[in-house]
Amino acid sequence: MCSPTFRQIGMDSNCDGYELYNSDRCLFNSTELQDIEFIRSCYYNKIEFVRFSSDVGKFVGYTDFGMKNAEMWNKDQGYLAAMRAQKETYCKHNIDLWYTNVLSKSVKPSVRLHSTMAPGCHHPAMLVCSVYDFYPKLIKVSWLRNGQEITSDITSTEEFANGDWLYQVHSHLEYMPRSGEKISCVVGHASLEKPLIINWVPPMPETERLIIVGAVGLILGLILFLAGVIYRRKSGDASLAHRFSEKQAEDWSKDAAALSLWRPQKEKFFKPDSELCFTNVLPKSVMPLVRLHSMTPSGGRHPALALCRVYDFFPKQLKTRTDAGSQ
């Protein structure tokens, strides 16, 4: 594994491009020193001419100029010792930081299983198992049919980066649909305690969808029909009650005994209430409030207009009079 840690030693440039470019990098697959390699590469006009590798322990030249420099630097034991120490002082330090903050972390994938048309139409259907946003990069995607692993008719993409340290991968399965079979996509990843299994649920056939739509329409029509029947029944009950009241009034009007009971109610019930009202309410009076003020009339035909407002009086009958001078 190559650490993203990068160190530039020196760079000169002109209008034609780079003249000298030195870089350091670390290759590793664990935090142990024996699993780490420190490399310093020196470039001239974008061509690597000499390299130091901690696994080799010395400089190696790739051009005449590089071999002359390698021979010179390898004779300098102090410089050579300093380069050999970079594996521990430079790489080990940065790799520990990466394992602590990044490489030991993991992000669970999200999985989407869907169908699409197979290219060339050699098969009636193709299933796609898309796995998104997982970390680290290493992942395994496999297929099961009725619990048995499928090994043929499968194509998968490489794991490629989203650009935000997360990855995605897509696996395609060409298959012939069979009634009652169960197809599953299985995802194994370091972030999962056990493999994630996503079962394929086929879409409902067109005929079944039409049956369900028809059944729903039938039920809705039945509900509307029952609502109409209930409304008509309630309307019929109201008209029946009206007809019943007319018939009852006609029968009571022909009954002399019933009429003899209702006619005295005028004197027995209404007269005492009327006397109480005349005694306690109607003879009383409330003194009015009066406000007299002037206002400008509309049209400008008179210089002024006097307005007399009378408020909060009882009973209703009222008489007003205006005196102007001797008139």
Side-chain angles (χ1 to χ4, degrees):
M1 182 173 184
C2 181
S3 168
T5 304
F6 174 82
R7 182 168 60 177
Q8 178 181 305
I9 304 303
M11 182 177 68
D12 295 321
S13 64
N14 58 20
C15 60
D16 296 327
Y18 298 107
E19 290 184 350
L20 180 63
Y21 183 87
N22 298 342
S23 67
D24 295 345
R25 64 184 185 273
C26 301
L27 304 180
F28 62 96
N29 52 30
S30 77
T31 59
E32 301 297 328
L33 279 176
Q34 63 269 20
D35 297 327
I36 299 174
E37 180 184 7
F38 169 76
I39 297 176
R40 172 170 292 179
S41 297
C42 301
Y43 297 87
Y44 182 76
N45 282 345
K46 301 184 181 181
I47 298 175
E48 185 179 14
F49 64 91
V50 67
R51 172 186 295 187
F52 174 86
S53 170
S54 60
D55 287 355
V56 178
K58 63 179 182 179
F59 287 92
V60 176
Y62 300 108
T63 65
D64 291 340
F65 178 69
M67 287 186 288
K68 291 179 181 180
N69 279 274
E71 183 181 359
M72 177 182 62
W73 290 337
N74 288 333
K75 292 178 181 180
D76 189 339
Q77 295 301 314
Y79 183 48
L80 206 58
M83 293 299 298
R84 290 168 179 167
Q86 293 297 302
K87 175 178 177 178
E88 183 173 2
T89 58
Y90 174 62
C91 290
K92 182 73 166 59
H93 168 73
N94 287 286
I95 290 170
D96 286 342
L97 292 176
W98 274 87
Y99 268 95
T100 301
N101 298 287
V102 179
L103 299 178
S104 60
K105 310 299 181 182
S106 62
V107 179
K108 292 183 179 180
S110 61
V111 183
R112 179 183 175 224
L113 182 58
H114 59 99
S115 65
T116 185
M117 291 299 297
C121 298
H122 299 299
H123 296 265
M126 174 182 285
L127 293 182
V128 182
C129 186
S130 298
V131 188
Y132 299 97
D133 301 332
F134 57 89
Y135 185 88
K137 181 179 179 180
L138 185 62
I139 195 169
K140 180 182 179 182
V141 181
S142 58
W143 295 87
L144 298 178
R145 176 183 280 118
N146 297 326
Q148 301 296 320
E149 185 173 359
I150 304 173
T151 57
S152 60
D153 298 323
I154 298 174
T155 55
S156 298
T157 65
E158 296 290 334
E159 301 88 351
F160 54 93
N162 296 341
D164 55 359
W165 297 104
L166 302 179
Y167 295 86
Q168 62 176 285
V169 67
H170 305 271
S171 180
H172 303 75
L173 170 67
E174 296 181 356
Y175 77 107
M176 298 288 291
R178 298 184 182 88
S179 177
E181 70 176 357
K182 181 180 179 181
I183 298 179
S184 308
C185 175
V186 183
V187 178
H189 189 252
S191 63
L192 303 171
E193 294 181 359
K194 58 181 180 180
L196 182 62
I197 301 177
I198 306 297
N199 297 319
W200 167 243
V201 179
M204 187 178 298
E206 184 68 22
T207 54
E208 293 185 15
R209 285 204 300 268
L210 292 176
I211 292 174
I212 292 178
V213 171
V216 171
L218 180 62
I219 294 173
L220 181 60
L222 181 60
I223 292 173
L224 294 176
F225 172 75
L226 293 176
V229 171
I230 293 173
Y231 174 77
R232 290 294 301 275
R233 180 171 294 180
K234 288 185 176 180
S235 300
D237 291 345
S239 60
L240 181 62
H242 180 67
R243 290 195 299 270
F244 174 78
S245 62
E246 290 180 345
K247 182 66 169 57
Q248 192 69 37
E250 183 180 354
D251 293 342
W252 285 345
S253 297
K254 295 178 181 179
D255 190 341
L259 290 176
S260 64
L261 291 174
W262 282 102
R263 283 168 180 165
Q265 296 299 315
K266 176 180 177 180
E267 184 175 356
K268 291 181 179 180
F269 178 73
F270 293 104
K271 192 172 186 302
D273 289 346
S274 299
E275 290 176 349
L276 290 173
C277 182
F278 272 95
T279 301
N280 299 286
V281 179
L282 298 180
K284 308 298 181 182
S285 61
V286 179
M287 183 178 295
L289 299 175
V290 181
R291 182 187 176 201
L292 182 62
H293 62 96
S294 65
M295 62 177 295
T296 303
S298 59
R301 289 175 293 180
H302 299 275
L305 181 67
L307 182 63
C308 182
R309 297 180 183 272
V310 186
Y311 303 93
D312 301 334
F313 59 88
F314 185 84
K316 179 179 179 181
Q317 290 78 17
L318 182 71
K319 182 179 180 181
T320 59
R321 188 181 66 181
T322 303
D323 292 331
S326 60
Q327 298 181 357

